[in-house]
Amino acid sequence: MFADLEIDQIAANPEQPRKFFDEAKHEELKGSIEENGLLQPVVVRPIEGGETPYMLIAGERRWRACKAAGLKVIPSKVIKDASEERAYVLSIAENVGREDMTIMEEAGAYADLRAAGWSPAKIAKQFGKTETHIKWRLGLLTLREEVSKMVDKGEIKPNLAWHIAQLNPSNQMVAATRYVRGDFDSEAEAQHFANALKMMEQQTTLTSEKAPSAEETEKRKKAKAQAKDGLGKAEEVLLPLLEELAKQKPEDLAVILGSDLTRHVRVVGKLHSQVQMVRNLLSKAQGIQRVMAAEFNKAAVEVQQERTEAKEQGEAATEEKQKPEAKPQAETKPEPVAKKAAAKPAAKPSGAARTRHRAAAGAAIKTTPARKVPAQKKAEPAAEAAKKAEAAVEK
């Protein structure tokens, strides 16, 4: 059923799979609506007991642009009896084919359906995708947040992102960062590097723990010499030949090669296939070599740190040994008993004597002049009076 609904009677769907809305495209759509009106209605469903009578199923971008353009009424297609799941599927169906829906938003939408019990095959059939496409999108959900943002920005393509997603979080950042900063000549090289990191995770190290035997070392030398010799011949003979053929015109080659042309096409086809295979193999080897180099560098840094720490500890121990020993303090001889006795304070005077002492001290203080004098001079008469009072008490 189609109806013109008040725009304020419609609420956005909080479970909308699409979370990012491009501001420039929003302004472009707003201008188009102001000029031509809304050409495609939004899709809504009735909501009982909600703050608004209707909720969007599809067309949130159009609804946002209409609100920004100041429209009060919006053309709508009302779908009754649509379940939550059905509404969500319709929302995904509208957005999944749009170029402005990010890869991670698409993966999240499929994950919600997967959590609702949908199989990858059912999801693929529903949205016209292959099952492999759905599985690869779901595989991206193990990416750490920083790498997910790189994927959404288009800095990392989906195919490479899937290979990075197979790594642990730490190695994900290693592979993603190196690719984004341009350490690889192609996406395939970055993919092989990620695969080599995965190998390292599975077998702890890419290098043998044991040193190779003399026999193994000799075999490696021979294999290396043969490979160098073979590649050297290809570089010296095959490359110049192919470069020479590439300069010819097709009509000239048709005459020059004559009846052998078909055989040469077949040979070059096989050669191309083998070159592609070897190129892929060498690229994988290069990825492993880069990981081995990174692992070696990491181990070298750790060894250097250990050496530095050991050196610092040794220096600290040497300094501790070189510190002079503290001399024991001389024992304090006890003072003679007689001296201690002499040091004892005099016996306290009786209550009457104390009264006379206070009275004498008070009288002495009262007799001091009342003029302003420095604090030190003030204290001297008072001290003398106190001494006289003590003398009087003793008598």
Side-chain angles (χ1 to χ4, degrees), residues 316-341:
T318 304
E319 288 177 3
E320 189 66 28
K321 287 180 180 178
Q322 291 175 351
K323 283 182 180 179
E325 294 183 2
K327 292 182 179 180
Q329 293 181 353
E331 294 182 0
T332 305
K333 293 182 179 179
E335 293 182 2
V337 177
K339 287 185 179 180
K340 286 186 178 179

Side-chain angles (χ1 to χ4, degrees), residues 249-304:
K249 295 179 180 180
E251 53 269 28
D252 293 336
L253 287 173
V255 174
I256 294 169
L257 297 176
S259 59
D260 290 333
L261 180 57
T262 302
R263 182 172 64 86
H264 285 305
V265 170
R266 186 169 60 250
V267 169
V268 172
K270 288 182 179 180
L271 183 62
H272 174 73
S273 177
Q274 291 297 316
V275 168
Q276 288 289 89
M277 188 183 301
V278 173
R279 174 70 179 84
N280 189 49
L281 184 65
L282 292 176
S283 183
K284 288 180 179 179
Q286 190 179 42
I288 293 172
Q289 191 179 68
R290 283 170 168 160
V291 171
M292 289 172 66
E295 187 181 14
F296 176 82
N297 291 337
K298 181 181 177 183
V301 169
E302 290 174 354
V303 169
Q304 185 61 37

Side-chain angles (χ1 to χ4, degrees), residues 88-144:
Y88 190 69
V89 169
L90 291 173
S91 181
I92 297 172
E94 190 214 19
N95 289 302
V96 78
R98 294 181 182 274
E99 62 179 31
D100 55 353
M101 185 180 193
T102 70
I103 294 168
M104 298 310 299
E105 285 175 345
E106 182 186 354
Y110 295 151
D112 289 340
L113 292 177
R114 191 82 176 89
W118 286 49
S119 67
K122 184 179 178 181
I123 298 172
K125 184 178 180 181
Q126 179 70 41
F127 301 109
K129 306 289 183 181
T130 64
E131 189 173 349
T132 301
H133 175 90
I134 302 301
K135 287 180 178 179
W136 277 55
R137 285 293 186 270
L138 290 172
L140 298 179
L141 296 173
T142 58
L143 288 172
R144 56 187 292 171

Side-chain angles (χ1 to χ4, degrees), residues 31-346:
S32 174
I33 290 171
E34 289 174 340
E35 186 70 26
N36 307 305
L38 183 63
L39 303 179
Q40 183 181 357
V42 297
V43 182
V44 300
R45 65 188 178 99
I47 298 293
E48 293 183 5
E51 295 182 2
T52 56
Y54 300 95
M55 181 177 289
L56 280 168
I57 293 177
E60 182 171 342
R61 183 166 164 264
R62 280 167 274 151
W63 174 75
R64 286 169 177 259
C66 286
K67 289 187 75 173
L71 270 66
K72 302 299 181 185
V73 175
I74 184 170
S76 308
K77 180 181 180 181
V78 182
I79 298 180
K80 296 180 179 180
D81 303 325
S83 64
E84 293 280 347
E85 183 177 298
R86 178 60 181 164
Y88 190 69
V89 169
L90 291 173
S91 181
I92 297 172
E94 190 214 19
N95 289 302
V96 78
R98 294 181 182 274
E99 62 179 31
D100 55 353
M101 185 180 193
T102 70
I103 294 168
M104 298 310 299
E105 285 175 345
E106 182 186 354
Y110 295 151
D112 289 340
L113 292 177
R114 191 82 176 89
W118 286 49
S119 67
K122 184 179 178 181
I123 298 172
K125 184 178 180 181
Q126 179 70 41
F127 301 109
K129 306 289 183 181
T130 64
E131 189 173 349
T132 301
H133 175 90
I134 302 301
K135 287 180 178 179
W136 277 55
R137 285 293 186 270
L138 290 172
L140 298 179
L141 296 173
T142 58
L143 288 172
R144 56 187 292 171
E145 185 179 358
E146 299 92 330
V147 183
S148 294
K149 289 179 179 178
M150 295 178 190
V151 176
D152 270 345
K153 290 178 182 177
E155 295 174 350
I156 299 176
K157 294 181 180 178
N159 186 52
L160 175 58
W162 184 88
H163 287 276
I164 294 175
Q166 310 311 304
L167 303 172
N168 64 40
S170 177
N171 281 335
Q172 284 182 18
M173 281 304 296
V174 171
T177 303
R178 290 194 61 172
Y179 176 73
V180 170
R181 76 185 183 195
D183 286 0
F184 308 107
D185 292 334
S186 66
E187 186 179 341
E189 284 189 12
Q191 178 182 319
H192 294 320
F193 178 78
N195 291 340
L197 284 173
K198 186 63 179 176
M199 289 172 60
M200 183 184 71
E201 291 177 4
Q202 292 172 342
Q203 61 189 46
T204 306
T205 177
L206 292 172
T207 57
S208 175
E209 294 293 339
K210 297 180 181 179
S213 63
E215 185 179 353
E216 289 174 341
T217 303
E218 189 62 30
K219 284 182 179 179
R220 290 182 184 180
K221 284 183 179 179
K222 287 182 179 180
K224 183 177 181 180
Q226 288 176 355
K228 280 188 173 181
D229 185 53
L231 291 172
K233 287 180 179 178
E235 189 174 5
E236 291 175 8
V237 179
L238 191 56
L239 276 179
L241 175 62
L242 294 175
E243 287 173 355
E244 187 63 32
L245 287 172
K247 294 176 183 178
Q248 303 294 328
K249 295 179 180 180
E251 53 269 28
D252 293 336
L253 287 173
V255 174
I256 294 169
L257 297 176
S259 59
D260 290 333
L261 180 57
T262 302
R263 182 172 64 86
H264 285 305
V265 170
R266 186 169 60 250
V267 169
V268 172
K270 288 182 179 180
L271 183 62
H272 174 73
S273 177
Q274 291 297 316
V275 168
Q276 288 289 89
M277 188 183 301
V278 173
R279 174 70 179 84
N280 189 49
L281 184 65
L282 292 176
S283 183
K284 288 180 179 179
Q286 190 179 42
I288 293 172
Q289 191 179 68
R290 283 170 168 160
V291 171
M292 289 172 66
E295 187 181 14
F296 176 82
N297 291 337
K298 181 181 177 183
V301 169
E302 290 174 354
V303 169
Q304 185 61 37
Q305 288 176 344
E306 289 175 2
R307 286 179 178 173
T308 303
E309 290 173 3
K311 184 179 178 182
E312 290 174 353
Q313 290 174 0
E315 290 174 353
T318 304
E319 288 177 3
E320 189 66 28
K321 287 180 180 178
Q322 291 175 351
K323 283 182 180 179
E325 294 183 2
K327 292 182 179 180
Q329 293 181 353
E331 294 182 0
T332 305
K333 293 182 179 179
E335 293 182 2
V337 177
K339 287 185 179 180
K340 286 186 178 179
K344 286 183 180 179

